[in-house]
Amino acid sequence: MYRYNDYDRAIVKARVAQFRDQTRRFFAGELSEDEFRPLRLQNGLYIQRHAPMLRIAIPYGLLSSEQLRMLAHIARTHDRDYGHFSTRQNIQYNWIPLEQVPEVLEKLSSVDMHGIQTSGNCIRNITSDPYAGIALDEIVDPRPWCEILRQWSTFHPEFAFLPRKFKIAINGAEHDRAVVRCHDIGLEVYRNAAGELVLRVFAGGGMGRTPIIGSVIRDNLPWQHMLTYCEAVLRVYNRYGRRDNSYKARIKILVKALGAEEFARQVDAEWEHFKDGPGTLTQAELARVAAHFTAPAYDAAAGGESELAARAAAERPFERWLSRNVRAHRQPGYRAVVLSLKPTGKPPGDVDSDTMDAIADLADRYSFGELRVTHEQNLVLADVRADQLYALWGELRKLGLATPNIGLLTDIVCCPGGDFCSLANAKSIPIAQAIQERFDDLDYLYDLGELELNISGCMNSCGHHHVGHIGVLGVDKSGSEWYQISIGGAQGNDTSLGEVIGPSFAAEQVPDVVEHLIDTYVDNRQPEERFLDVVRRLGVEPFKSRVYANVAGAKRAKEVEHV
Amino acid sequence: MSERQTEILLADGSVIADDWVWLRLPESAEPQKKSAGKVVLFRLTGDSAAPAEVVAGVAIPASGRVLLPLTIWLARKDELAPRLAAGEIGVWLDSFEEPQALVDSLADINTLPVIGLNFPRFIDGRAFSVAFLLRNRYGYRGQLRALGDVLRDQLFFLRRVGFDAYAVRADLDIRAAAASLADFPEVYQSSTDQPLPLFRRA
Ligand code: HEM
Ligand code: SF4
């Protein structure tokens, strides 16, 4: 993974000093609440229900064991012993007192970490494929591109006060695992017919109140132009994005209003002015950055495939774990292992400090000291020898990290919701738990197969409910909490937005609703069809009628129409 | 309505006395920044500014250096020609105004000794891009002045995109603020102050 050089370190250290002084001025009354807000936001600090929420960047989800130990230390010393891994591949703390934040940032900088641009109206942490560098379907390793963009976007002087937040994701594989179609800019690195490395640029995707799938505004863009082209997009957006209404300020609204073609034309016109200028990437720079992402020292002798098969045949639980939580690897004799942060009864994505330390040790012993955070809120040990899988499984089971549910109904993506977030309409964590409890029969879950259920506590969509096969959205009905259900959303190459099935439900009804949705699926499926496939084939109607025939008392939510 | 900024911060960190008068349109004639529906309005530039009679009626100080709103400059530049030649006229743009209009109004943009860009609120970052364009696209070399809600923690970025004078908001300590011009020891990306990105220098 990328290791900081002296420049990177000096910049982060300067940021710590700057924020320390800003905090001092805030407490001294020299900075008003309003003036301090964007400053703290650009360091990842929100004021939330209980205390400030601090969001730490995990650039494109890559983490070293040393960094994870520091995250554990911070949870233990400055927070209430846990952290929350988010759908943006970051980690959030909920309880750090404001006065301690400069110290926390100082500590983080000692392991090359920070909260820079993790919130605020600026270019946020770049996200990517958690299986970068190891996936079988990878065309180009996205990590060097992520890092180049990370550096370019860090303290970009022109784009620190955009109309709204700006999120960039990069995918380099055949199958998009970075949700590039739902980002302000989504980049796909690929090889064109001539074998040249080029980019496809999506713009104007996003979730939130107005979910929109991004449009391709440029194809076949030679890689050297990545930064200048992004600069042109950002400049057009910075000048013409709406600033009068924060709900309409994302780039997606501008792209939609102008039309993707006209937007692309304006970007091109801007880009023409400097397209071959000094911002053009060089082979030397690509090589410098790419050198940080070479394969670790794999052991060519790693193997044990037949033994693995024998163990799997002998032990059903191990077989299950292998089939759900272990993924194929490009290197023969290796696998990627997903640590499920979704055992029944725990808030999805939460990890306590001792477990973080234990995971760091496992990363050292089994996976070259590195791990990755997925946007589904799980962790990945990316480079595990096949002949050590059984031993690792044993250790993960003791830690409660081996729930064999990756990609199944109980692998729920869920935002912090009303328990922590002051923007929430409704709680989301208890809904996740109630659904997990209802569907805790593993055989049944396996039979249901791949099923993504995503929950957001409000229209901001931090829990990606729009792209869940089943989406649950918290809505407010004059003070009480209600939930709107959508089905048919999906991430990936065939990204689609879910369709709302009808009026909303009370919290205790949600597991029933999910059950009726599932029953409709089971009754209608053909061999090999996933839940999503059945929704796509039959449409919402049969699901809807079954649910409303059986669950009474739904209410129509007013504020939730798609604008 | 006019306001004399008594001191101004420069890019080298010095604070000097300032004799430019910042002339603004009367409150009531502030352009209406409509937000409703139409595409052109997304630019928030489509609306005409103050009505012609208001523009014609604004009293311009008879002598000394004056920083004029774009609309006044455009409407009355003929009458102001002698003073422009005497180096007494600067023009300022609000955050929604197009620099192209100013550029088109002059044979040479560099006849203006000062161009001001207003920050109605510091979170409105459009002027960062406009400053970049004035310096890099339109070749403006005179003083580029940040006006309005100009705060300490934006100074580093303001300097980088090409502002070289900062009318730090009057209630703040302009001398203490100067320290923030140098908040960071190194930068990754190119901008006006540093035409080469770090990867072409290091
Ligand atoms: C608890 C404090 C949080 C606050 C105050 C917050 C606030 C917001 C807001 C206001 C939006 C909507 C932005 C827009 O549509 O323009 C948003 C979107 C989003 N947030 Fe959060 N969020 C929080 C936590 C999280 C967490 C924990 C995650 C990850 C689990 C997350 C990930 C996202 C994502 C993925 C989106 C939607 C994608 C997009 O359109 O950009 N946020 N958040
Ligand atoms: S979706 Fe809403 S409730 Fe959930 S974290 Fe985001 S802002 Fe908070």
Side-chain angles (χ1 to χ4, degrees), chain A residues 48 53 86-87 92 165 167 207 250 416 460 462 464:
Chain A
Q48 283 306 314
M53 179 204 86
S86 85
T87 50
Q92 301 190 165
K165 59 166 97 168
K167 300 176 180 178
M207 301 198 214
R250 295 288 290 272
N460 288 320
C462 303
H464 288 186

Side-chain angles (χ1 to χ4, degrees), chain A residues 228-299:
Chain A
T228 53
Y229 192 80
C230 286
E231 179 175 334
V233 172
L234 265 299
R235 186 165 299 128
V236 170
Y237 171 55
N238 190 38
R239 298 187 64 204
Y240 302 123
R242 286 182 65 170
R243 289 175 184 268
D244 56 314
N245 176 342
S246 67
Y247 293 132
K248 298 190 189 300
R250 295 288 290 272
I251 193 175
K252 61 192 173 188
I253 305 292
L254 179 66
V255 174
K256 194 174 175 198
L258 293 174
E261 231 165 273
E262 169 59 13
F263 179 76
R265 195 196 58 73
Q266 292 192 15
V267 170
D268 281 351
E270 174 58 34
W271 186 51
E272 271 311 310
H273 291 284
F274 59 98
K275 74 180 259 200
D276 292 307
T280 309
L281 277 168
T282 59
Q283 186 65 53
E285 173 64 355
L286 177 59
R288 177 188 78 87
V289 177
H292 289 274
F293 300 100
T294 49
Y298 293 126
D299 181 354

Side-chain angles (χ1 to χ4, degrees), chain A residues 415-418 421 423-426 428 456-463:
Chain A
C415 81
C421 175
L423 302 179
N425 285 325
S428 45
S456 303
C458 77
M459 251 317 184
N460 288 320
S461 319
C462 303

Side-chain angles (χ1 to χ4, degrees), chain A residues 40 94 107 149 159 194 256-257 292 295 326 372 444 520 553 555:
Chain A
R40 64 171 163 71
N94 288 305
K107 288 179 175 178
L149 264 174
F159 306 131
K256 194 174 175 198
H292 289 274
V326 176
R372 293 132 186 250
Y444 189 51
T520 316
K555 289 201 185 171

Side-chain angles (χ1 to χ4, degrees), chain B residues 105-150:
Chain B
S105 73
L106 288 149
D108 176 4
I109 186 79
N110 282 306
T111 48
L112 288 171
V114 176
I115 295 176
L117 298 179
N118 185 39
F119 288 82
R121 291 183 307 152
F122 68 90
I123 55 166
D124 180 346
R126 284 176 278 193
F128 288 100
S129 285
V130 175
F132 179 87
L133 291 175
L134 282 168
R135 290 295 192 207
N136 298 280
R137 188 92 14 106
Y138 301 116
Y140 181 62
R141 294 184 303 276
Q143 188 187 83
L144 193 53
R145 175 178 287 217
L147 299 168
D149 204 13
V150 179

Side-chain angles (χ1 to χ4, degrees), chain A residues 84-114:
Chain A
H84 173 78
F85 287 99
S86 85
T87 50
R88 299 252 324 128
Q89 301 179 313
N90 289 323
I91 185 167
Q92 301 190 165
Y93 295 105
N94 288 305
W95 307 91
I96 300 181
L98 180 55
E99 313 77 70
Q100 294 181 24
V101 171
E103 188 190 342
V104 169
L105 293 180
E106 177 103 50
K107 288 179 175 178
L108 284 166
S109 72
S110 72
V111 293
D112 302 346
M113 295 188 89
H114 55 72

